[in-house]
């Protein structure tokens, strides 16, 4: 399984763009990159998923360079409600049976 | 997205008693159920995987006789913490998966259950 490395914590202010980078040097050919958000005392929630290049949805953007050894989650104009832990996961259903292995995550704190 | 209902959201029990946590997938058939545990300020750790109608597979270090998992139907799985002790106090989260789910689809999670053993 590809191991991921993220910053343990990040601070930001309301209205700023936040970029959280995840390293996954041993990503496999079939692996997807998925990000989840978790608020205190809640289960994780899917944010975005990608395989290569750039993916954008109504919540965030995901940038993946050509070598796919890292990825960057971009949250535009964060608000206080974006304070949460963000997890980067890398994997492939065929090898993992769908189970997710969570790394330490990045605790984002958004201040007024 | 899929609707997952986990109950109760929190529970306090006395040491030595058992607690049952329910996880329901309300709008899809969960052929597989994952159970995670999360201690304060830590990440989610997979405890076990169960397939409907089969015995659960436990991760290394997780006692199968202590954490009983029942997955008798495609919409309901239960986790029973037997003879609970204070060190079992944690946040338990379920994640049902349908047969059609792949890594190219998102995973869904229950709201979590905060267990406190006193």
């Amino acid at each position: 399984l590809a191991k991921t490395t993220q910053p343990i914590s990040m601070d930001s202010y309301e209205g700023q763009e936040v970029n959280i980078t995840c390293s996954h040097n041993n990503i496999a050919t079939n692996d997807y990159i998925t990000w989840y958000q978790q608020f205190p005392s809640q289960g994780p929630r899917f944010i975005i998923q990608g395989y290569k290049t750039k993916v954008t949805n109504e919540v965030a953007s995901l940038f993946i360079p050509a070598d796919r050894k890292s990825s960057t989650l971009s949250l535009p104009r964060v608000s206080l409600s974006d304070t949460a832990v963000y997890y980067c996961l890398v994997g492939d259903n065929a090898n993992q049976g769908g189970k997710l292995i969570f790394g330490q995550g990045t605790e984002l704190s958004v201040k007024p | 997205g899929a609707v997952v209902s986990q109950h109760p959201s929190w529970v306090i029990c006395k040491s030595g008693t058992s607690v049952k946590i329910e996880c329901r997938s309300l709008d899809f058939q969960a052929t597989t159920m994952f159970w995670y545990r999360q201690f304060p300020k830590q990440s989610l750790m997979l405890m076990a995987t169960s397939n409907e109608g089969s015995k659960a597979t436990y991760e290394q270090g997780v006692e199968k006789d202590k954490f009983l998992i029942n997955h008798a139907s495609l919409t309901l799985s239960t986790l029973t913490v037997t003879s609970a002790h204070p060190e079992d106090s944690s946040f338990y989260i379920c994640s049902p998966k349908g047969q059609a789910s792949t890594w190219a689809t998102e995973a869904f999670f229950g709201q979590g259950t905060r267990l406190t053993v006193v």
Side-chain angles (χ1 to χ4, degrees):
Chain A
L1 296 177
K3 177 178 166 57
T4 61
T5 303
Q6 305 173 232
I8 294 175
S9 64
M10 293 182 69
D11 290 333
S12 182
Y13 291 93
E14 282 190 291
Q16 290 188 330
E17 178 184 79
V18 171
N19 296 307
I20 305 174
T21 298
C22 178
S23 297
H24 28 80
N25 291 318
N26 59 340
I27 187 170
T29 302
N30 295 331
D31 286 347
Y32 282 80
I33 301 160
T34 311
W35 286 78
Y36 289 86
Q37 175 192 55
Q38 185 183 27
F39 296 115
S41 296
Q42 293 188 29
R45 185 181 72 166
F46 172 89
I47 300 176
I48 197 166
Q49 185 181 73
Y51 184 80
K52 62 179 179 181
T53 62
K54 176 185 174 182
V55 180
T56 298
N57 61 22
E58 64 277 5
V59 177
S61 294
L62 179 60
F63 298 92
I64 306 169
D67 65 5
R68 303 200 327 123
K69 293 184 182 300
S70 67
S71 59
T72 299
L73 174 71
S74 181
L75 305 173
R77 298 181 297 281
V78 294
S79 63
L80 297 177
S81 62
D82 292 316
T83 294
V85 178
Y86 292 82
Y87 295 97
C88 162
L89 283 80
V90 174
D92 164 46
N93 182 62
N95 291 324
Q96 295 170 225
K99 67 180 178 181
L100 304 181
I101 306 300
F102 286 80
Q104 64 182 15
T106 298
E107 186 171 11
L108 173 65
S109 177
V110 180
K111 303 175 183 178
Chain B
V3 181
V4 181
S5 177
Q6 186 174 342
H7 179 80
S9 57
W10 62 271
V11 58
I12 302 172
C13 72
K14 290 185 177 181
S15 190
T17 62
S18 296
V19 172
K20 180 184 285 187
I21 301 170
E22 292 188 349
C23 182
R24 297 179 184 272
S25 55
L26 301 181
D27 56 356
F28 73 101
Q29 295 183 328
T31 53
T32 303
M33 185 69 74
F34 301 104
W35 287 95
Y36 295 86
R37 178 169 56 179
Q38 186 175 33
F39 292 107
K41 295 295 184 182
Q42 293 188 24
S43 185
L44 284 77
M45 292 182 56
L46 181 66
M47 298 176 64
T49 304
S50 69
N51 293 306
E52 185 263 337
S54 304
K55 288 185 178 180
T57 301
Y58 292 81
E59 297 297 307
Q60 190 173 11
V62 179
E63 301 175 54
K64 63 180 177 66
D65 295 328
K66 182 171 186 60
F67 299 98
L68 302 181
I69 293 173
N70 183 289
H71 191 172
S73 81
L74 290 172
T75 58
L76 172 64
S77 177
T78 61
L79 167 66
T80 301
V81 183
T82 63
S83 187
H85 288 99
E87 56 265 31
D88 298 323
S89 297
S90 189
F91 191 57
Y92 294 86
I93 306 168
C94 67
S95 178
K97 184 178 87 71
Q99 192 168 11
S101 298
T102 68
W103 250 99
T105 58
E106 61 188 278
F108 300 98
F109 298 85
Q111 303 92 323
T113 297
R114 174 78 58 196
L115 170 63
T116 302
V117 184
V118 298

